[in-house]
Amino acid sequence: MESHGRDELKGPVLHIVVVGFHHKKGCQVEFSYPPLMPDEGHDSHLLPEEWKYLPFLALPDGAHNFQEDTVYFHLPPLNEDMKCVYGVSCYRQIEAKALKVRQADVTRETVQKSVCVLSRVPLYGLLQAKLQLITHAYFEEKDFSQISILKELYDHMNGSLRGSALEGSQMYLGGSIYLWKKNNTKFDFYCLQVLFYVSPVNRLVGALMTVLSLFPGMIEHGLADSSHYRPQSSVSEDPTLLESVSGAEDFVSVSVTDFSSESEWETLDPAVLDEGPQEAAAEGGETEPLLDAFDSEPATPITVQPQSAGGQGGVVQGLVSGLEEDRYGLPLPVFTKGYLCLPYMALQQHHLLSDVTVRGFVAGATNILFRQQRHLSDAVVEVEEAGVHVQDPELRKTLSLTTADLRFADYLVKHVTENRDDVFLDGTGWEGGDEWIRAQFTLYLHSLLSSVLQQDNERLLADYGVPFVTAWKITHNYRVWYSNKHPAMAAITPGHPFQGQYSVADVKLRLSHSVQNSERGKKIGNAMMTTSRSVVQTGKAVGEEARKTAALTHRLLYNQRSRPLVVSRENAALTHEA
């Protein structure tokens, strides 16, 4: 066993792990480098209790239905000095008969394995790109005892990535904001119980991380405390039991013994919260309300060309949040104090949805059992249909988009649709591209934060939705942000980027949004589409019949000119030769 000193531990990669499926034992760790347990060998199946779900995360549920897949997952820290551990796993399967060396425990026709990287930094896309190549080469060996390539991967990654700055291109490599339409992303301000659902896992984690990337600094610095949960010993974690029950209510586990009082979570001094950072906005001079802005035309929205996320300067340690923040106090401390972010949840983690120590979550799942238990989630994001389903009518009203929000969404959709070809063909433009979209959301959030700092800001906040802003102001992430001073906010113009007077175009936007997002509207839309198809089909049929009739008439007329025509029976003597 090779020893790895303290200097090597400074690299971003903690472990390279291989997880396989055993026909009797299920998913298990087959190899780890360095060993997951310090006193064990590389081939030990043992792993820390905090990481007991690692095999089920690295080799996802239903993986046998796909030839290959990619998983992003989060593991809890092993000690107080650690933060969230970011996992990237590449799964593949191969026919057993294709193996050059077939081990004794290979009894099935296919062999399923995952190679995963456990990292201390969220370099999802970059790790995935490197890991996919190594996984392909590892399987091409057709001899899984050849582990030298995995050790070389560990050394290469820590050598090439040590000291790497967390830049947007490394975070988002491989991800694209292709699915964003006019869906609501306001729920992440609350960090309610939000469940993403789709299969396979690579689509799931891609969609979830895409949404998180819209919030400035969230992926780079906002997930450090997003996986602080305690694994539970419960019958609900037995997959054989879960598969045997038909009712969803039978396997809900509530951890009463781990109940924590509200005072343990809320650590802010109310006196600090009452001070407010109004002085920060005043450092650059008194900011007058921009009343003239409300007279602008919606056709020319009040917006600027914001800089990309990478040009916002350095980050410092937040005094209250504990996260690394930029000059504007971002990322918002959403995933702290018991709020989880789990890009992929294994079925064995189902009990976390009802654990009283978990105050909220944004999680992804591919198993239908998660989707069936809608009462455990405030919102379900159906990635396949690009829809957000909110069950509670009051919450749905609070999260509803304002007219200014709809203008913002329509502006993004049009630019993405119209400029996508140019962005990807010539490679020189950025308008309509992923970084451009993230920059627009950065502007949106900056403007919202600037608006809440203004005095007499009712008109400014109305464009964001008064119920939404009111509810957001009582959340933990807002209170932490508001308790600090952020001098850079003085340079941000308050007010919604798309504020303005109402117009006929706004009525059309609202009608279109209502039809697309309400159940009744969807039914009407489907009925209209069915009717439209029927009309088109009927029109085609009528047109075809008319064409045939016209052709027949033309043929008859032509024949009448080419042969004798009898005028009448009564006057048969009178004929006309054509």
Side-chain angles (χ1 to χ4, degrees), residues 418-440:
E418 295 173 358
N419 294 281
R420 179 160 295 274
D421 291 339
D422 294 337
V423 171
F424 289 101
L425 285 178
D426 59 23
T428 59
W430 87 301
E431 187 169 336
D434 291 350
E435 290 297 331
W436 179 85
I437 295 177
R438 294 187 183 102
Q440 305 308 313

Side-chain angles (χ1 to χ4, degrees), residues 366-381:
T366 59
N367 195 296
I368 194 173
L369 292 176
F370 286 93
R371 187 179 66 170
Q372 289 177 342
Q373 292 193 311
R374 292 182 179 269
H375 64 284
L376 296 179
S377 304
D378 294 316
V380 176
V381 181

Side-chain angles (χ1 to χ4, degrees), residues 187-256:
F187 49 75
D188 269 338
F189 284 94
Y190 289 130
C191 193
L192 303 165
Q193 288 78 10
V194 182
L195 180 70
F196 284 69
Y197 177 82
V198 77
S199 184
V201 183
N202 66 81
R203 290 190 60 195
L204 172 72
V205 297
L208 191 149
M209 301 309 292
T210 292
V211 172
L212 292 185
S213 73
L214 300 178
F215 294 84
M218 186 63 73
I219 293 183
E220 298 95 319
H221 309 293
L223 303 178
D225 299 328
S226 66
S227 63
H228 285 49
Y229 64 85
R230 306 172 192 173
Q232 302 293 325
S233 298
S234 170
V235 294
S236 67
E237 296 174 12
D238 187 348
T240 59
L241 288 178
L242 293 180
E243 293 174 358
S244 64
V245 292
S246 57
E249 301 292 335
D250 296 335
F251 53 86
V252 178
S253 172
V254 180
S255 306
V256 180

Side-chain angles (χ1 to χ4, degrees), residues 34-194:
L36 293 175
M37 303 294 288
D39 298 330
E40 299 291 334
H42 298 308
D43 57 352
S44 173
H45 302 314
L46 300 179
L47 65 164
E49 177 65 19
E50 293 85 352
W51 292 356
K52 62 185 296 184
Y53 303 127
L54 170 59
F56 310 103
L57 294 169
L59 211 163
D61 180 43
H64 61 279
N65 295 319
F66 304 96
Q67 195 66 27
E68 57 184 313
D69 205 351
T70 303
V71 187
Y72 297 165
F73 60 90
H74 293 166
L75 293 174
L78 297 179
N79 53 61
E80 295 181 355
D81 296 330
M82 292 180 65
K83 294 293 186 178
C84 173
V85 175
Y86 308 93
V88 178
S89 173
C90 288
Y91 158 83
R92 290 195 68 180
Q93 61 176 322
I94 186 175
E95 292 185 355
K97 63 182 181 181
L99 295 176
K100 295 179 180 178
V101 179
R102 182 165 179 169
Q103 299 174 343
D105 59 353
V106 177
T107 61
R108 296 193 172 190
E109 296 182 355
T110 59
V111 177
Q112 303 168 9
K113 293 184 185 295
S114 289
V115 181
C116 59
V117 175
L118 303 183
S119 171
R120 65 176 80 248
V121 292
L123 295 171
Y124 302 101
L126 191 58
L127 294 177
Q128 175 185 343
K130 294 178 177 292
L131 187 58
Q132 284 178 334
L133 295 176
I134 297 301
T135 302
H136 177 77
Y138 182 55
F139 271 74
E140 285 298 309
E141 290 282 346
K142 297 181 174 60
D143 180 5
F144 294 117
S145 64
Q146 301 297 320
I147 58 176
S148 59
I149 189 175
L150 302 178
K151 295 181 179 180
E152 293 174 1
L153 174 64
Y154 175 84
D155 296 331
H156 167 72
M157 283 189 168
N158 277 327
S160 61
L161 300 178
R162 180 177 288 120
S164 298
L166 298 182
E167 297 293 342
S169 59
Q170 294 176 331
M171 299 294 102
Y172 314 129
L173 181 64
S176 177
I177 313 180
Y178 65 92
L179 56 84
W180 192 90
K181 297 292 185 181
K182 296 181 180 178
N183 292 325
N184 199 337
T185 57
K186 284 184 174 180
F187 49 75
D188 269 338
F189 284 94
Y190 289 130
C191 193
L192 303 165
Q193 288 78 10
V194 182

Side-chain angles (χ1 to χ4, degrees), residues 554-564:
H554 178 75
R555 189 178 300 114
L556 289 175
L557 290 176
Y558 180 81
N559 291 339
Q560 286 174 356
R561 297 184 59 187
S562 61
R563 66 187 182 188

Side-chain angles (χ1 to χ4, degrees), residues 274-290:
D274 292 339
E275 293 179 1
Q278 301 296 338
E279 307 91 314
E283 288 187 9
E286 184 69 16
T287 304
E288 294 294 333
L290 304 179

Side-chain angles (χ1 to χ4, degrees), residues 17 34 87 95 198 220 274 302 352 357 363 416 429 435 445 485 491 574:
V17 181
E95 292 185 355
V198 77
E220 298 95 319
D274 292 339
I302 302 175
L352 291 176
T357 65
V416 170
E435 290 297 331
L445 183 54
K485 297 180 180 180
L574 298 177

